[in-house]
Short mmCIF file of all heavy atoms in Angstrom, two decimals:
data_model
loop_
_atom_site.label_atom_id
_atom_site.label_comp_id
_atom_site.label_asym_id
_atom_site.label_seq_id
_atom_site.Cartn_x
_atom_site.Cartn_y
_atom_site.Cartn_z
N VAL A 58 52.18 95.44 79.32
CA VAL A 58 51.43 94.18 79.27
C VAL A 58 50.31 94.26 78.23
O VAL A 58 50.12 93.34 77.42
CB VAL A 58 50.87 93.81 80.66
CG1 VAL A 58 49.88 92.66 80.58
CG2 VAL A 58 52.01 93.48 81.61
N LEU A 59 49.57 95.37 78.22
CA LEU A 59 48.49 95.54 77.24
C LEU A 59 49.04 95.54 75.81
O LEU A 59 48.47 94.92 74.92
CB LEU A 59 47.71 96.82 77.51
CG LEU A 59 46.56 97.12 76.56
CD1 LEU A 59 45.53 96.00 76.57
CD2 LEU A 59 45.92 98.46 76.94
N GLY A 60 50.15 96.22 75.60
CA GLY A 60 50.75 96.22 74.27
C GLY A 60 51.15 94.83 73.82
O GLY A 60 50.84 94.40 72.70
N LEU A 61 51.80 94.09 74.70
CA LEU A 61 52.21 92.72 74.37
C LEU A 61 51.01 91.79 74.24
O LEU A 61 51.04 90.83 73.46
CB LEU A 61 53.19 92.19 75.42
CG LEU A 61 54.52 92.94 75.51
CD1 LEU A 61 55.36 92.42 76.68
CD2 LEU A 61 55.30 92.86 74.20
N ALA A 62 49.95 92.08 74.97
CA ALA A 62 48.74 91.24 74.93
C ALA A 62 48.04 91.31 73.58
O ALA A 62 47.19 90.47 73.28
CB ALA A 62 47.77 91.66 76.03
N HIS A 63 48.39 92.28 72.75
CA HIS A 63 47.75 92.37 71.43
C HIS A 63 47.99 91.11 70.59
O HIS A 63 47.19 90.79 69.73
CB HIS A 63 48.20 93.63 70.69
CG HIS A 63 47.39 94.82 71.05
ND1 HIS A 63 47.44 95.41 72.29
CD2 HIS A 63 46.48 95.53 70.32
CE1 HIS A 63 46.61 96.43 72.31
NE2 HIS A 63 46.01 96.52 71.13
N VAL A 64 49.07 90.40 70.88
CA VAL A 64 49.30 89.12 70.20
C VAL A 64 48.16 88.16 70.53
O VAL A 64 47.61 87.50 69.64
CB VAL A 64 50.66 88.51 70.62
CG1 VAL A 64 50.82 87.10 70.09
CG2 VAL A 64 51.81 89.40 70.17
N PHE A 65 47.76 88.13 71.79
CA PHE A 65 46.67 87.25 72.22
C PHE A 65 45.30 87.81 71.84
O PHE A 65 44.39 87.06 71.53
CB PHE A 65 46.76 86.99 73.73
CG PHE A 65 48.08 86.39 74.13
CD1 PHE A 65 49.05 87.17 74.73
CD2 PHE A 65 48.36 85.06 73.87
CE1 PHE A 65 50.28 86.63 75.08
CE2 PHE A 65 49.58 84.50 74.21
CZ PHE A 65 50.54 85.29 74.81
N LEU A 66 45.19 89.14 71.87
CA LEU A 66 43.92 89.76 71.48
C LEU A 66 43.59 89.43 70.03
O LEU A 66 42.42 89.28 69.67
CB LEU A 66 43.96 91.27 71.68
CG LEU A 66 44.01 91.75 73.13
CD1 LEU A 66 44.17 93.26 73.19
CD2 LEU A 66 42.79 91.30 73.88
N TRP A 67 44.62 89.34 69.20
CA TRP A 67 44.42 88.98 67.80
C TRP A 67 43.67 87.65 67.70
O TRP A 67 42.75 87.50 66.90
CB TRP A 67 45.76 88.91 67.08
CG TRP A 67 45.61 88.83 65.59
CD1 TRP A 67 45.46 87.71 64.85
CD2 TRP A 67 45.57 89.92 64.67
NE1 TRP A 67 45.33 88.02 63.53
CE2 TRP A 67 45.40 89.38 63.38
CE3 TRP A 67 45.68 91.30 64.80
CZ2 TRP A 67 45.33 90.16 62.24
CZ3 TRP A 67 45.61 92.08 63.67
CH2 TRP A 67 45.43 91.51 62.40
N ARG A 68 44.07 86.70 68.56
CA ARG A 68 43.42 85.38 68.56
C ARG A 68 42.06 85.41 69.26
O ARG A 68 41.10 84.83 68.78
CB ARG A 68 44.31 84.35 69.24
CG ARG A 68 45.50 83.98 68.40
CD ARG A 68 46.29 82.89 69.06
NE ARG A 68 47.42 82.56 68.20
CZ ARG A 68 48.24 81.59 68.44
NH1 ARG A 68 48.08 80.83 69.51
NH2 ARG A 68 49.23 81.35 67.63
N VAL A 69 41.99 86.07 70.41
CA VAL A 69 40.75 86.11 71.18
C VAL A 69 39.61 86.71 70.36
O VAL A 69 38.48 86.22 70.38
CB VAL A 69 40.95 86.91 72.49
CG1 VAL A 69 39.62 87.22 73.17
CG2 VAL A 69 41.88 86.17 73.43
N PHE A 70 39.91 87.77 69.63
CA PHE A 70 38.89 88.44 68.83
C PHE A 70 38.82 87.90 67.40
O PHE A 70 38.08 88.44 66.57
CB PHE A 70 39.10 89.95 68.83
CG PHE A 70 38.84 90.57 70.17
CD1 PHE A 70 39.86 91.17 70.88
CD2 PHE A 70 37.57 90.56 70.73
CE1 PHE A 70 39.63 91.73 72.12
CE2 PHE A 70 37.33 91.12 71.97
CZ PHE A 70 38.36 91.72 72.67
N ALA A 71 39.58 86.85 67.13
CA ALA A 71 39.56 86.17 65.82
C ALA A 71 39.76 87.15 64.67
O ALA A 71 39.07 87.10 63.66
CB ALA A 71 38.26 85.38 65.65
N TRP A 72 40.74 88.02 64.83
CA TRP A 72 40.97 89.05 63.81
C TRP A 72 41.48 88.46 62.50
O TRP A 72 41.26 89.04 61.44
CB TRP A 72 41.90 90.13 64.33
CG TRP A 72 41.23 91.04 65.33
CD1 TRP A 72 39.88 91.26 65.47
CD2 TRP A 72 41.86 91.84 66.31
NE1 TRP A 72 39.65 92.15 66.48
CE2 TRP A 72 40.85 92.53 67.02
CE3 TRP A 72 43.18 92.05 66.67
CZ2 TRP A 72 41.13 93.42 68.05
CZ3 TRP A 72 43.45 92.94 67.71
CH2 TRP A 72 42.43 93.61 68.38
N THR A 73 42.13 87.31 62.53
CA THR A 73 42.56 86.68 61.27
C THR A 73 41.33 86.32 60.45
O THR A 73 41.27 86.61 59.25
CB THR A 73 43.42 85.43 61.55
OG1 THR A 73 44.59 85.85 62.26
CG2 THR A 73 43.83 84.76 60.25
N ARG A 74 40.35 85.70 61.08
CA ARG A 74 39.10 85.36 60.39
C ARG A 74 38.37 86.62 59.93
O ARG A 74 37.86 86.69 58.82
CB ARG A 74 38.20 84.54 61.31
CG ARG A 74 36.94 84.04 60.62
CD ARG A 74 35.98 83.34 61.57
NE ARG A 74 35.40 84.33 62.45
CZ ARG A 74 35.26 84.21 63.77
NH1 ARG A 74 35.65 83.11 64.37
NH2 ARG A 74 34.71 85.15 64.49
N GLU A 75 38.32 87.62 60.79
CA GLU A 75 37.62 88.86 60.46
C GLU A 75 38.27 89.59 59.28
O GLU A 75 37.58 90.13 58.43
CB GLU A 75 37.59 89.80 61.68
CG GLU A 75 36.78 89.29 62.84
CD GLU A 75 35.29 89.36 62.57
OE1 GLU A 75 34.84 90.27 61.84
OE2 GLU A 75 34.57 88.50 63.09
N THR A 76 39.59 89.60 59.25
CA THR A 76 40.27 90.34 58.18
C THR A 76 40.16 89.64 56.82
O THR A 76 40.36 90.28 55.80
CB THR A 76 41.75 90.59 58.51
OG1 THR A 76 42.40 89.35 58.79
CG2 THR A 76 41.89 91.53 59.71
N LYS A 77 39.83 88.36 56.82
CA LYS A 77 39.65 87.65 55.54
C LYS A 77 38.47 88.22 54.75
O LYS A 77 38.41 88.09 53.54
CB LYS A 77 39.47 86.16 55.77
CG LYS A 77 40.75 85.46 56.19
CD LYS A 77 40.52 83.97 56.33
CE LYS A 77 41.66 83.27 56.99
NZ LYS A 77 42.90 83.22 56.30
N ARG A 78 37.52 88.85 55.47
CA ARG A 78 36.36 89.44 54.81
C ARG A 78 36.66 90.82 54.23
O ARG A 78 35.84 91.40 53.55
CB ARG A 78 35.19 89.53 55.78
CG ARG A 78 34.74 88.14 56.25
CD ARG A 78 33.50 88.21 57.07
NE ARG A 78 33.75 88.93 58.32
CZ ARG A 78 32.85 89.08 59.28
NH1 ARG A 78 31.63 88.60 59.12
NH2 ARG A 78 33.15 89.71 60.39
N LEU A 79 37.84 91.35 54.53
CA LEU A 79 38.23 92.67 54.07
C LEU A 79 39.03 92.56 52.78
O LEU A 79 39.56 91.50 52.45
CB LEU A 79 39.09 93.37 55.13
CG LEU A 79 38.46 93.55 56.51
CD1 LEU A 79 39.51 94.09 57.48
CD2 LEU A 79 37.27 94.48 56.44
N SER A 80 39.15 93.69 52.10
CA SER A 80 40.05 93.70 50.94
C SER A 80 41.47 93.50 51.45
O SER A 80 41.77 93.82 52.61
CB SER A 80 39.93 95.03 50.19
OG SER A 80 40.54 96.06 50.94
N PRO A 81 42.37 92.99 50.62
CA PRO A 81 43.75 92.76 51.09
C PRO A 81 44.40 94.04 51.63
O PRO A 81 45.09 93.98 52.65
CB PRO A 81 44.47 92.25 49.83
CG PRO A 81 43.39 91.61 49.03
CD PRO A 81 42.16 92.44 49.27
N LEU A 82 44.18 95.17 50.98
CA LEU A 82 44.78 96.41 51.47
C LEU A 82 44.22 96.80 52.83
O LEU A 82 44.98 97.11 53.76
CB LEU A 82 44.57 97.55 50.46
CG LEU A 82 45.10 98.91 50.93
CD1 LEU A 82 46.60 98.86 51.17
CD2 LEU A 82 44.75 99.99 49.92
N THR A 83 42.92 96.75 52.99
CA THR A 83 42.30 97.12 54.26
C THR A 83 42.73 96.17 55.36
O THR A 83 43.00 96.59 56.50
CB THR A 83 40.76 97.13 54.12
OG1 THR A 83 40.41 98.05 53.09
CG2 THR A 83 40.08 97.54 55.41
N ALA A 84 42.84 94.88 55.05
CA ALA A 84 43.31 93.91 56.04
C ALA A 84 44.73 94.23 56.49
O ALA A 84 45.04 94.15 57.69
CB ALA A 84 43.23 92.50 55.47
N ARG A 85 45.57 94.60 55.55
CA ARG A 85 46.96 94.93 55.91
C ARG A 85 47.04 96.22 56.70
O ARG A 85 47.84 96.34 57.64
CB ARG A 85 47.82 95.01 54.65
CG ARG A 85 48.06 93.64 54.07
CD ARG A 85 48.87 93.68 52.82
NE ARG A 85 48.99 92.32 52.31
CZ ARG A 85 49.52 92.03 51.16
NH1 ARG A 85 49.98 92.98 50.37
NH2 ARG A 85 49.59 90.77 50.76
N VAL A 86 46.23 97.21 56.34
CA VAL A 86 46.20 98.46 57.09
C VAL A 86 45.78 98.17 58.53
O VAL A 86 46.39 98.68 59.48
CB VAL A 86 45.27 99.50 56.42
CG1 VAL A 86 44.99 100.67 57.35
CG2 VAL A 86 45.87 99.99 55.11
N PHE A 87 44.75 97.35 58.70
CA PHE A 87 44.29 96.98 60.04
C PHE A 87 45.41 96.30 60.82
O PHE A 87 45.67 96.64 61.98
CB PHE A 87 43.06 96.05 59.95
CG PHE A 87 42.59 95.58 61.29
CD1 PHE A 87 41.82 96.39 62.10
CD2 PHE A 87 42.92 94.31 61.74
CE1 PHE A 87 41.39 95.95 63.34
CE2 PHE A 87 42.48 93.87 62.98
CZ PHE A 87 41.72 94.69 63.78
N ALA A 88 46.09 95.35 60.21
CA ALA A 88 47.17 94.62 60.89
C ALA A 88 48.32 95.56 61.26
O ALA A 88 48.83 95.51 62.39
CB ALA A 88 47.68 93.48 60.01
N VAL A 89 48.71 96.43 60.35
CA VAL A 89 49.81 97.37 60.62
C VAL A 89 49.41 98.35 61.71
O VAL A 89 50.20 98.63 62.62
CB VAL A 89 50.24 98.09 59.32
CG1 VAL A 89 51.16 99.25 59.62
CG2 VAL A 89 50.91 97.09 58.38
N HIS A 90 48.19 98.86 61.66
CA HIS A 90 47.75 99.80 62.70
C HIS A 90 47.67 99.11 64.06
O HIS A 90 48.02 99.72 65.08
CB HIS A 90 46.42 100.44 62.33
CG HIS A 90 46.58 101.52 61.32
ND1 HIS A 90 45.57 101.92 60.50
CD2 HIS A 90 47.64 102.30 60.98
CE1 HIS A 90 45.99 102.89 59.71
NE2 HIS A 90 47.25 103.12 59.99
N THR A 91 47.24 97.87 64.08
CA THR A 91 47.20 97.12 65.34
C THR A 91 48.61 96.97 65.90
O THR A 91 48.84 97.16 67.09
CB THR A 91 46.54 95.74 65.13
OG1 THR A 91 45.21 95.94 64.66
CG2 THR A 91 46.52 94.94 66.42
N PHE A 92 49.56 96.65 65.02
CA PHE A 92 50.95 96.52 65.46
C PHE A 92 51.45 97.85 66.04
O PHE A 92 52.07 97.87 67.11
CB PHE A 92 51.87 96.10 64.30
CG PHE A 92 53.32 96.22 64.63
CD1 PHE A 92 53.95 95.26 65.40
CD2 PHE A 92 54.05 97.34 64.22
CE1 PHE A 92 55.29 95.39 65.74
CE2 PHE A 92 55.38 97.48 64.55
CZ PHE A 92 56.02 96.50 65.31
N PHE A 93 51.18 98.95 65.35
CA PHE A 93 51.70 100.24 65.82
C PHE A 93 51.01 100.70 67.11
O PHE A 93 51.66 101.33 67.95
CB PHE A 93 51.65 101.30 64.72
CG PHE A 93 52.82 101.17 63.80
CD1 PHE A 93 52.67 100.62 62.54
CD2 PHE A 93 54.08 101.56 64.19
CE1 PHE A 93 53.75 100.48 61.69
CE2 PHE A 93 55.18 101.43 63.36
CZ PHE A 93 55.02 100.88 62.11
N VAL A 94 49.74 100.41 67.29
CA VAL A 94 49.09 100.72 68.56
C VAL A 94 49.78 99.93 69.67
O VAL A 94 50.12 100.49 70.73
CB VAL A 94 47.58 100.40 68.51
CG1 VAL A 94 46.97 100.39 69.90
CG2 VAL A 94 46.85 101.41 67.62
N ALA A 95 50.00 98.65 69.45
CA ALA A 95 50.68 97.83 70.45
C ALA A 95 52.09 98.34 70.72
O ALA A 95 52.52 98.42 71.88
CB ALA A 95 50.71 96.37 69.99
N PHE A 96 52.78 98.73 69.67
CA PHE A 96 54.15 99.24 69.80
C PHE A 96 54.18 100.54 70.61
O PHE A 96 55.02 100.71 71.50
CB PHE A 96 54.74 99.45 68.40
CG PHE A 96 56.19 99.83 68.38
CD1 PHE A 96 57.15 98.95 68.85
CD2 PHE A 96 56.60 101.05 67.87
CE1 PHE A 96 58.51 99.29 68.83
CE2 PHE A 96 57.94 101.40 67.84
CZ PHE A 96 58.89 100.52 68.32
N VAL A 97 53.26 101.45 70.34
CA VAL A 97 53.17 102.70 71.09
C VAL A 97 52.86 102.41 72.56
O VAL A 97 53.43 103.04 73.46
CB VAL A 97 52.14 103.67 70.46
CG1 VAL A 97 51.79 104.81 71.40
CG2 VAL A 97 52.67 104.21 69.15
N LEU A 98 51.96 101.47 72.82
CA LEU A 98 51.64 101.11 74.20
C LEU A 98 52.89 100.59 74.93
O LEU A 98 53.14 100.96 76.08
CB LEU A 98 50.53 100.06 74.25
CG LEU A 98 49.14 100.55 73.90
CD1 LEU A 98 48.18 99.37 73.81
CD2 LEU A 98 48.65 101.58 74.89
N VAL A 99 53.66 99.75 74.26
CA VAL A 99 54.89 99.23 74.88
C VAL A 99 55.89 100.36 75.12
O VAL A 99 56.47 100.45 76.21
CB VAL A 99 55.50 98.10 74.02
CG1 VAL A 99 56.89 97.73 74.52
CG2 VAL A 99 54.59 96.87 74.02
N LEU A 100 56.06 101.24 74.15
CA LEU A 100 57.01 102.35 74.32
C LEU A 100 56.59 103.31 75.42
O LEU A 100 57.41 103.67 76.28
CB LEU A 100 57.18 103.11 73.01
CG LEU A 100 57.92 102.40 71.88
CD1 LEU A 100 57.98 103.28 70.64
CD2 LEU A 100 59.32 102.01 72.32
N LEU A 101 55.33 103.74 75.41
CA LEU A 101 54.85 104.65 76.46
C LEU A 101 54.90 103.96 77.81
O LEU A 101 55.25 104.59 78.82
CB LEU A 101 53.43 105.13 76.16
CG LEU A 101 53.27 106.13 75.03
CD1 LEU A 101 51.79 106.39 74.76
CD2 LEU A 101 54.00 107.43 75.34
N GLY A 102 54.55 102.69 77.83
CA GLY A 102 54.60 101.94 79.08
C GLY A 102 56.01 101.82 79.61
O GLY A 102 56.25 102.01 80.80
N ALA A 103 56.95 101.51 78.72
CA ALA A 103 58.35 101.38 79.15
C ALA A 103 58.88 102.72 79.67
O ALA A 103 59.61 102.76 80.67
CB ALA A 103 59.20 100.88 77.99
#
């Protein structure tokens, strides 16, 4: 549930707005790392 909730956490914490202030590379690294944290949570949870 926590892994899947990262979709909603992205909106709750306004990460799209926050990442606009970052360089494009840093914003993408943040997004990819967020995805992989969520993915690991889903895998370990499953």
Side-chain angles (χ1 to χ4, degrees):
V58 169
L59 180 59
L61 296 174
H63 274 68
V64 171
F65 302 103
L66 291 175
W67 192 273
R68 287 184 179 185
V69 168
F70 292 115
W72 286 338
T73 299
R74 185 186 71 225
E75 294 287 329
T76 56
K77 287 183 192 293
R78 297 187 295 184
L79 302 173
S80 72
L82 177 61
T83 302
R85 288 179 183 173
V86 167
F87 177 79
V89 168
H90 282 156
T91 300
F92 169 79
F93 279 104
V94 166
F96 187 64
V97 166
L98 288 173
V99 170
L100 290 179
L101 287 174

